[in-house]
């Protein structure tokens, strides 16, 4: 599959970034590099400009049409009178030969490079995500990659839940093997399990009690008995670079009637929303339907004592080379298409 933007012949696409951090650049080149490199799309041709260190690997691994030598172009720039060529000078040499003066760049394109290009007379037009619209609709290969990461996540979380089942309840805390069960202990367990499946997890959430009322609190300290414990695990495959995303709420101990009702309300809303995920569905309307369902059940959303309570985040988002990407199932919303991979993760959050 050729990954490129649809542009006019006199407009080139330009990235100067590290594909290890920039998912659009990795998508375009399928080449992983920790240091910035130059990538251009010129009149339908996809070109990388690489250092001597990365030349051979880029030529064998990257899914582009041509890989040019940075050092060779650097020598050419010096012969043109540029004493110490920068990355922008290298881009200028390539574009000058192609007679291109207009550029399409990602919204996060470095300001210093943009300023230097403008000084040389180039016109730049930034483009917001999705920079490559085709990224939003996943190929069967991409779906398989996401599914593999998801299965590894499910195994790790299931194993962590098994640990909690073995835990003893002592007062208001959970104990296992003579030690308190902490958020840190369970997160480490999950992350190691994921590493065994070639997945790398960062910011894994295992938060209990009051901490669970803050959706992005990663959790710390002893996990409580008889109260909600939220798991939110979203690792990236070290081989495919695609993410998985999994949220679960569990309780070890006695469950109050109110917690049971809260859980059932969220679960029923989630299951209803999943039935609405289809080609042509409106993500905003799906989200609004969940909000209305929660309100009807008596669960209000708003600021109480300086803290948000109720349902105050989106229902879902796309998953792929980024953990959060288009489309959105939220108050802003997106029209869903066949091939989208999305989460459906409503929640209700009330301290106490």
């Amino acid at each position: 599959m050729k990954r490129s933007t649809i542009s006019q012949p006199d407009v080139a696409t330009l990235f100067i970034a590290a594909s290890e951090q920039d998912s659009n650049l990795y998508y375009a080149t399928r080449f992983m590099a920790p240091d910035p490199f130059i990538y251009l799309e010129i009149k339908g041709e996809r070109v990388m400009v690489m250092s001597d260190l990365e030349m051979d690997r880029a030529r064998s691994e990257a899914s582009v049409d041509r890989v040019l030598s940075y050092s060779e172009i650097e020598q050419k720039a010096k012969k043109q009178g540029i004493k110490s060529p920068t990355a922008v000078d290298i881009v200028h040499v390539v574009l000058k030969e192609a007679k291109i003066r207009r550029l399409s760049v990602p919204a996060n394109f470095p300001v210093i490079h943009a300023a230097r290009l403008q000084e040389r007379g180039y016109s730049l037009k930034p483009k917001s995500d999705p920079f490559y619209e085709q990224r939003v609709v996943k190929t069967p290969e991409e779906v398989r990659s996401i599914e593999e990461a998801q299965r590894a996540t499910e195994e790790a979380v299931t194993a962590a839940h098994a640990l909690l089942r073995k835990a003893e309840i002592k007062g208001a805390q959970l104990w296992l093997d003579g030690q308190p069960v902490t958020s840190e202990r369970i997160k480490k367990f999950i992350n190691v399990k994921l590493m065994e499946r070639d997945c790398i997890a960062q910011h894994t959430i295992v938060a209990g009690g009051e901490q669970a009322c803050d959706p992005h609190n990663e959790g710390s300290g002893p996990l409580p008995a008889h109260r909600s414990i939220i798991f939110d695990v979203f690792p990236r495959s070290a081989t495919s670079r695609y993410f998985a995303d999994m949220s679960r709420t569990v309780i070890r101990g006695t469950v109050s009637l109110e917690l049971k009702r809260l859980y059932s309300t969220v679960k029923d809303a989630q299951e209803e929303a999943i039935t609405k995920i289809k080609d042509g569905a409106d993500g905003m309307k799906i989200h609004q339907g969940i909000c209305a369902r929660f309100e009807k059940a008596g669960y209000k959303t708003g600021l109480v004592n300086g803290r948000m309570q109720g349902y105050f985040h989106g229902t879902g988002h796309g998953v792929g080379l980024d953990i959060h990407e288009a489309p959105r199932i939220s108050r802003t919303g997106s029209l869903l298409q066949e091939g989208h991979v999305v989460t459906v993760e409503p929640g209700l959050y009330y301290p106490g």
Side-chain angles (χ1 to χ4, degrees):
M1 177 183 176
K2 192 167 185 177
R3 298 172 173 89
S4 61
T5 55
I6 300 173
S7 58
Q8 299 165 285
D10 63 338
V11 179
T13 293
L14 172 63
F15 282 81
I16 304 176
S19 55
E20 188 172 81
Q21 281 83 44
D22 193 310
S23 55
N24 283 317
L25 183 54
Y26 178 74
Y27 180 81
T29 64
R30 294 293 160 170
F31 183 75
M32 182 59 57
D35 299 314
F37 62 89
I38 296 165
Y39 170 71
L40 292 148
E41 292 171 11
I42 305 171
K43 299 176 182 178
E45 185 180 37
R46 298 171 303 138
V47 179
M48 290 167 63
V49 183
M50 303 303 297
S51 68
D52 293 340
L53 177 68
E54 297 284 22
M55 274 290 294
D56 289 344
R57 190 169 70 90
R59 283 175 171 162
S60 64
E61 296 179 9
S63 61
V64 298
D65 301 309
R66 269 200 303 160
V67 179
L68 304 179
S69 167
Y70 188 102
S71 60
E72 288 180 8
I73 300 172
E74 187 177 42
Q75 289 304 314
K76 190 179 291 188
K78 287 179 178 178
K79 288 179 182 178
Q80 294 176 8
I82 303 171
K83 186 176 180 181
S84 300
T86 65
V88 167
D89 295 318
I90 302 303
V91 170
H92 175 62
V93 171
V94 176
L95 292 177
K96 186 178 179 182
E97 293 176 357
K99 298 180 180 179
I100 296 288
R101 305 298 293 175
R102 298 168 61 197
L103 299 171
S104 173
V105 298
N108 62 350
F109 191 77
V111 172
I112 189 169
H113 295 329
R116 288 174 177 170
L117 284 162
Q118 287 170 333
E119 288 170 4
R120 284 187 168 275
Y122 289 93
S123 170
L124 278 70
K125 185 175 182 180
K127 183 181 179 185
S128 300
D129 279 334
F131 189 84
Y132 294 103
E133 285 86 356
Q134 62 265 43
R135 250 190 77 182
V136 181
V137 178
K138 304 301 187 287
T139 66
E141 181 184 355
E142 289 177 300
V143 172
R144 284 192 295 271
S145 295
I146 296 168
E147 185 175 7
E148 286 176 9
Q150 188 68 30
R151 296 294 172 248
T153 306
E154 290 169 358
E155 287 181 15
V157 172
T158 298
H161 289 174
L163 278 186
L164 292 186
R165 289 191 186 95
K166 293 178 182 178
E168 295 180 72
I169 298 173
K170 295 183 179 181
Q173 290 185 0
L174 301 177
W175 286 68
L176 184 65
D177 300 328
Q179 295 181 331
V181 179
T182 63
S183 291
E184 292 83 356
R185 183 177 176 184
I186 300 300
K187 285 186 286 185
K188 183 178 181 179
F189 177 86
I190 291 171
N191 292 347
V192 170
K193 285 286 184 185
L194 287 166
M195 287 179 67
E196 292 172 351
R197 290 288 305 271
D198 291 328
C199 290
I200 307 300
Q202 292 182 303
H203 308 295
T204 296
I205 295 172
V206 179
E210 295 299 299
Q211 294 177 3
C213 296
D214 179 351
H216 282 169
N217 187 327
E218 293 179 20
S220 61
L223 290 173
H226 316 301
R227 300 193 67 185
S228 297
I229 300 171
I230 288 182
F231 288 71
D232 193 354
V233 187
F234 39 96
R236 174 181 243 163
S237 167
T239 53
S240 72
R241 302 290 296 172
Y242 283 85
F243 276 93
D245 195 1
M246 180 176 180
S247 300
R248 293 290 185 271
T249 302
V250 301
I251 295 173
R252 176 71 176 96
T254 304
V255 187
S256 69
L257 290 176
E258 181 51 41
L259 269 178
K260 283 184 178 179
R261 180 172 178 268
L262 193 73
Y263 181 90
S264 295
T265 301
V266 174
K267 186 172 182 290
D268 290 346
Q270 180 193 42
E271 290 177 348
E272 180 184 350
I274 289 172
T275 66
K276 296 179 180 178
I277 303 296
K278 59 186 69 176
D279 187 60
D282 187 333
M284 182 172 65
K285 290 182 179 178
I286 294 171
H287 176 71
Q288 289 173 341
I290 288 181
C291 292
R293 183 172 182 138
F294 287 162
E295 285 282 331
K296 187 176 180 180
Y299 293 109
K300 306 297 182 183
T301 295
L303 202 62
V304 178
N305 297 323
R307 186 174 186 179
M308 283 299 295
Q309 298 187 15
Y311 184 38
F312 46 88
H313 60 68
T315 294
H317 55 83
V319 177
L321 289 171
D322 288 313
I323 182 58
H324 296 126
E325 59 181 49
R328 302 285 175 170
I329 304 174
S330 64
R331 59 185 177 82
T332 53
S334 305
L335 287 179
L336 303 183
Q337 291 179 247
E338 184 177 351
H340 285 173
V341 176
V342 297
T343 67
V344 180
E345 44 189 339
L348 287 168
Y349 307 87
Y350 297 100

